[in-house]
Amino acid sequence: MRAAHVDPLQAGIKCIVFEKQPSHSPAHARDWNMGHWGAPVLQSLVPPSLWSRLDSATVDPHVPTAEANTLHFLNGATGAAMASIPTGKFYRLRRSKLRALLADGLDIRYDHRLADLAYNPDGSSVLAKFDHASPVRGRIVVGTDGARSTVRRLLLGDDAAAASSRLPHAATFVHARYPRETALRIRAHHELYMASVHPGNKFAFLGMQDVALPSSPESWTLFGYISYPLSLAEQDATAHHTNAQHLAHLRRLAADFADPFGTAFAALPADSPVWRVPMTSWDPGAAGHTWDSRGGRATLAGDAAHAMTYQRGQGLNHSLTDAGELCKAIRTFVAASADVEGASAPSSFFSLARPILSSSSSSSSSSSPPSAASAPSAPASLVAPSPARQPLRSPQRDAIAAYEAGMVARGGEEVRLSIANTTMLHDWARVMTSPVMTKGLRANTSTATKADQNAEGVAEADGDARRRDVT
């Protein structure tokens, strides 16, 4: 994922968040934005006072999120409409602002880099060890530390199996500000976002990143990228390219795009920050990817559990679904333990996790937004045993096993669907039969949970009504 870390206190679970970075907004950390349809799940996991401020984390907080919107796909070569996909109430959230919002009220311990996990022989707890900090003992650790998850590696005990799979595609990202007239010209096509598929087997996305002053277009920051096929050999050969080289490459990629994409990328200022993201994935349902949860004392969520490509906008939403399902599982075994032990309150929980929400695709390169070395490291959640805790009982093992079974089926299928979608979006002959064109941005209903289905809203419109193939 990276995972969505929500307020565990809202679920009656005490939690400490451990973050390897020195702050939630470390210097030089990259920022991007994400589409979010999983509102019902998120709303159930955060306090009302926080939920009421969600619009403050959008790319344009001056305009409330519309009850319904549309993502337009244009032919990259001609600018003609290819498809219009209803998004329902689709929050376009800025990662850094969402992190700050969700961190409010949490006990977050920065500068904690996870080194190892040790399990109590009596089955009652797990000990999280850090490089330069005191260890913490808890009841369960949930690894939400992104596509290059340390927790995943520790659980699998196999570096090769834990490593994300490299894909022969990459994307080059950019942030930019423009002169007033150029900014207005670009945004006139859509107030928030738009996409484009090019016959040259390229895909582009363009949208707002930060509307600082609504009346001052020159203050707006736009976010965009172009993705394209790129062999692993080519990825390795160009891994150390400079910002200037990536910018020049991005301009070449955009040279044959129609407006607004052609204008937006051709007019990029020379000092625009640019970074390339080789695409990767990790399928929890693949052979060799089954981990031992040690009686329910360790598990995964978000990108750590199912890193996927991002052109269908599913990473954040599956991360939120993980959070919702995991909270249900924890409530189940905490309640069962209280019944057995006569406890009047649940055990306290510690979280070796970072409160982050991110786009989903990951990369083995430090230039990847979801897994960039500059981006904060991810999480792990621990439920601390109470002083009089008895050895672990089956309710915890069974609850976490049930969570994992649902998450692996749902997340694994979405990983595979997202890879197919990325492949087809970069193959002009198959674009219109790609999952984003036939399914839109809604959850994959074959394995969706009820929460996923409730979040679909108007995006359930029939595929034929969404698409207008004019190629």
Side-chain angles (χ1 to χ4, degrees):
M1 102 187 147
R2 295 183 176 209
H5 185 77
V6 295
D7 187 354
L9 300 179
Q10 180 71 3
I13 303 165
K14 294 181 181 179
C15 179
I16 301 173
V17 178
F18 294 93
E19 163 62 64
K20 84 171 184 181
Q21 295 294 336
S23 71
H24 76 267
S25 296
H28 310 300
R30 295 186 179 120
D31 199 10
W32 58 93
N33 60 79
M34 306 157 287
H36 167 44
W37 47 249
V41 178
L42 180 59
Q43 186 175 9
S44 73
L45 293 170
V46 299
S49 59
L50 190 152
W51 175 254
S52 67
R53 293 184 282 144
L54 185 62
D55 270 323
S56 70
T58 62
V59 296
D60 186 356
H62 309 285
V63 179
T65 299
E67 290 300 319
N69 217 318
T70 303
L71 174 60
H72 298 297
F73 282 76
L74 307 181
N75 181 311
T78 67
M82 292 181 66
S84 294
I85 298 177
T87 59
K89 190 165 187 177
F90 193 71
Y91 291 88
R92 198 71 200 174
L93 298 165
R94 184 175 166 187
R95 177 181 177 274
S96 60
K97 294 166 71 174
L98 186 59
R99 282 173 53 85
L101 179 66
L102 295 183
D104 188 15
L106 292 182
D107 183 357
I108 303 176
R109 310 288 174 87
Y110 295 100
D111 278 323
H112 280 66
R113 183 185 295 272
L114 184 66
D116 200 3
L117 296 172
Y119 302 87
N120 193 309
D122 69 4
S124 65
S125 64
V126 54
L127 185 72
K129 300 178 181 181
F130 303 95
D131 283 344
H132 303 292
S134 299
V136 176
R137 186 175 299 281
R139 187 164 164 189
I140 179 173
V141 56
V142 181
T144 60
D145 44 342
R148 295 181 295 173
S149 169
T150 297
V151 178
R152 182 205 297 158
R153 177 177 56 79
L154 293 173
L155 289 181
L156 286 167
D158 183 337
D159 289 354
S164 294
S165 298
R166 299 174 66 189
L167 305 176
H169 293 89
T172 301
F173 291 76
V174 65
H175 285 171
R177 290 184 177 180
Y178 298 93
R180 178 184 182 86
E181 293 306 317
T182 303
L184 288 171
R185 179 179 173 186
I186 295 171
R187 198 177 187 189
H189 290 264
H190 195 284
E191 69 275 12
L192 289 177
Y193 44 72
M194 68 200 89
S196 178
V197 188
H198 195 282
N201 298 330
K202 296 176 285 189
F203 178 86
F205 181 88
L206 188 62
M208 302 307 298
Q209 170 70 12
D210 181 30
V211 179
L213 299 170
S215 61
S216 178
E218 58 273 18
S219 74
W220 303 345
T221 300
L222 278 80
F223 166 85
Y225 73 83
I226 298 178
S227 56
Y228 42 91
L230 191 69
S231 70
L232 302 190
E234 290 173 303
Q235 292 178 27
D236 292 339
T238 57
H240 301 292
H241 274 188
T242 64
N243 192 89
Q245 288 174 306
H246 285 311
L247 179 58
H249 181 233
L250 184 58
R251 285 173 169 161
R252 291 195 299 273
L253 288 169
D256 55 356
F257 270 83
D259 278 346
F261 298 89
T263 293
F265 291 112
L268 288 171
D271 61 350
S272 299
V274 185
W275 65 99
R276 192 184 67 193
V277 184
M279 296 186 198
T280 65
S281 68
W282 196 81
D283 181 355
H289 286 186
T290 302
W291 61 88
D292 180 357
S293 68
R294 302 299 185 100
R297 287 177 289 171
T299 191
L300 300 172
D303 277 2
H306 42 63
M308 61 189 73
T309 57
Y310 40 80
Q311 282 96 351
R312 214 171 76 83
Q314 298 299 304
L316 169 61
N317 301 296
H318 277 275
S319 297
L320 288 169
T321 301
D322 291 348
E325 295 302 308
L326 188 57
C327 276
K328 293 176 186 176
I330 292 174
R331 284 195 189 105
T332 297
F333 73 70
V334 166
S337 297
D339 289 342
V340 171
E341 299 169 19
S344 59
S347 305
S348 59
F349 286 64
F350 299 94
S351 173
L352 292 108
R354 133 183 101 225
I356 76 178
L357 292 151
S358 90
S359 66
S360 59
S361 172
S362 66
S363 167
S364 58
S365 165
S366 62
S367 63
S368 166
S371 57
S374 59
S377 160
S381 293
L382 295 176
V383 184
S386 58
R389 192 145 186 91
Q390 299 298 316
L392 185 69
R393 290 174 171 80
S394 61
Q396 180 166 341
R397 180 195 62 216
D398 295 345
I400 296 305
Y403 155 74
E404 290 179 341
M407 178 272 289
V408 168
R410 168 178 48 80
E413 183 166 355
E414 191 60 57
V415 169
R416 296 185 288 275
L417 194 67
S418 294
I419 293 172
N421 185 66
T422 293
T423 302
M424 296 171 79
L425 282 179
H426 297 90
D427 180 350
W428 183 247
R430 297 194 290 165
V431 165
M432 296 310 297
T433 56
S434 64
V436 73
M437 294 296 184
T438 58
K439 295 177 178 288
L441 303 179
R442 68 184 188 273
N444 183 29
T445 54
S446 65
T447 55
T449 64
K450 191 173 189 301
D452 295 323
Q453 294 164 352
N454 289 341
E456 288 169 18
V458 300
E460 285 287 354
D462 179 79
D464 290 339
R466 287 195 306 269
R467 295 177 294 154
R468 297 194 310 276
D469 186 355
V470 296
T471 56

